[in-house]
Amino acid sequence: MRLVGRSQRPTGPHHRRERETVSEHLLEVKGAFKHFGAVQALRGANLHADVGTVMALVGDNGAGKTVLTKSISGIYQLDEGEVLWEGSPVTIAGPKDSARLGIEVVYQDLALCDNLDVVENMYLGRETRSSFRRLDEAKMEAETRRVLRDLSVTTLQSVRLPVAAMSGGQRQSVAVAKAVLWNSKLVVLDEPTAALGVAQTRQVLARTKRLATQGLAGILISHNRSGVFEVADYITVLRLGQTVAEFKRTETTQREVVEAITAGQLSQVPGMEGVVA
């Protein structure tokens, strides 16, 4: 498999094995800029996601990972940059736009309602109704069971179990299944293993890897480098709002990724714009 290149390519010792442009990506973000007042959160960041693969997005705190993914999901709008979906430019002005494209985001807080059961959470706000405008409980429950089965979720005793009674790993599984249910093409997972135990982390990583085998594209934001190397196909490194490296997971090491996170070469040093060497 060959790596695919992008415009505004990062340079430096960590940027290697760049992709050659051979086909369009499902999602491609080029030259993303975003500022909040005097704070420049993104400075020309690039990212792509492909069907059947998991792209890990890594970087230190403040690197711009969350801002970039929230721009993809429509929570923020980019000041500059281009977003391509299946090769065509798109404007994502809000979460509804991203949902229509097929982008679903599983945030760190999961956005699940503790007092509702699995089926109710999966269909919250999108309930299926019968011809008599009644809730079609049987159909919703059957679809919930199907998606959980396809993702190999076997730890739930019942789809009618309230979320409040579930472990952290089980909740993450429900959140991922909810994203898959709505015919999504791209699932973004923001720190899915944060605050989980070892066994629960293994479950969530298995769910993440399963997304690719289901024909979806995945973007994984994580500080768990071992988990990243277990499930990701490619790794994009952000540093101070810039993309400084992209690695093919099977052709790199954790040491190289850490070096890129901490010392990846920047095309523009914050606070030094316009300074002549």
Side-chain angles (χ1 to χ4, degrees), residues 53-75:
T53 66
V54 175
M55 172 64 81
L57 182 61
V58 301
D60 211 344
N61 291 333
K65 306 183 298 296
T66 298
V67 174
L68 182 55
T69 53
K70 284 188 175 182
S71 299
I72 294 170
S73 66
I75 293 177

Side-chain angles (χ1 to χ4, degrees), residues 5 57 68 79 94 115 124-125 143 164 223 233 235 246 273:
L57 182 61
L68 182 55
D79 299 324
N115 61 316
L124 185 62
E143 280 297 294
H223 285 91
D233 298 287
I235 303 169
E246 181 191 314
E273 295 86 346

Side-chain angles (χ1 to χ4, degrees), residues 98-119:
S98 65
R100 277 193 290 267
L101 291 173
I103 300 171
E104 293 285 342
V105 183
V106 179
Y107 294 105
Q108 190 170 344
D109 60 7
L110 301 182
L112 297 176
C113 296
D114 287 351
N115 61 316
L116 301 181
D117 62 32
V118 178
V119 177

Side-chain angles (χ1 to χ4, degrees), residues 219-251:
I219 295 177
L220 170 66
I221 304 171
S222 180
H223 285 91
N224 182 345
R225 288 191 295 276
S226 296
V228 164
F229 270 75
E230 182 176 339
V231 304
D233 298 287
Y234 302 99
I235 303 169
T236 293
V237 181
L238 288 186
R239 181 168 180 249
L240 298 178
Q242 300 176 40
T243 300
V244 295
E246 181 191 314
F247 299 102
K248 186 175 181 181
R249 188 259 304 166
T250 57
E251 298 178 2

